[in-house]
């Protein structure tokens, strides 16, 4: 069985539940939502995951609810959102388990 994918994109549906096979004692999940200055969900934003040196690691497109998710290693990361509503950036320190963040974009 394969995970549902977002329309026009090979990435898994970002708003789908985390698969039961994911061991949150060992895995690091970075998840959250992209919102605009009015705190409204931003669908179709490109969210990039950059490592501690600023190197590109991965990119996903937000769900209709603005949700994104990355499976990463513990450590320091930068999230960068690019959208028609503007751009935003957030530096985080992620540990094993679920790391929930909010990312705001502005023009």
């Amino acid at each position: 069985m394969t995970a549902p994918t977002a329309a026009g994109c090979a990435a898994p549906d970002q708003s789908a539940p985390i698969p039961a096979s994911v061991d949150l004692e060992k895995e690091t999940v970075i998840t959250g939502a992209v919102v605009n200055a009015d705190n409204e969900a931003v669908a179709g934003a490109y969210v990039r995951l950059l490592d501690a040196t600023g190197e590109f690691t991965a990119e996903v497109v937000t769900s209709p609810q603005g949700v994104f998710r990355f499976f990463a290693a513990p450590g320091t990361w930068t999230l960068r959102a690019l959208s028609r509503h503007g751009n935003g950036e957030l530096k985080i320190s992620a540990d094993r388990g679920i790391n929930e963040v909010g990312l705001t974009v502005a023009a």
Side-chain angles (χ1 to χ4, degrees):
M1 173 194 275
T2 60
T5 59
C9 178
D13 179 357
Q14 298 299 296
S15 59
I18 294 174
S21 61
V22 174
D23 182 352
L24 295 175
E25 296 289 321
K26 297 178 182 174
E27 305 270 353
T28 301
V29 180
I30 301 169
T31 187
V34 175
V35 296
N36 63 19
D38 295 323
N39 207 33
E40 299 167 329
V42 177
Y46 292 89
V47 181
R48 294 180 178 165
L49 182 67
L50 309 174
D51 70 13
T53 67
E55 289 295 316
F56 174 88
T57 302
E59 181 176 80
V60 296
V61 178
T62 59
S63 73
Q65 299 79 25
V67 175
F68 64 90
R69 180 183 307 142
F70 293 102
F71 292 87
T76 302
W77 297 95
T78 298
L79 297 167
R80 184 174 295 153
L82 309 167
S83 78
R84 60 187 165 99
H85 300 282
N87 302 328
E89 187 171 293
L90 178 67
K91 293 190 184 305
I92 65 164
S93 179
D95 295 318
R96 285 188 174 83
I98 296 176
N99 297 265
E100 261 189 77
V101 299
L103 184 51
T104 302
V105 295

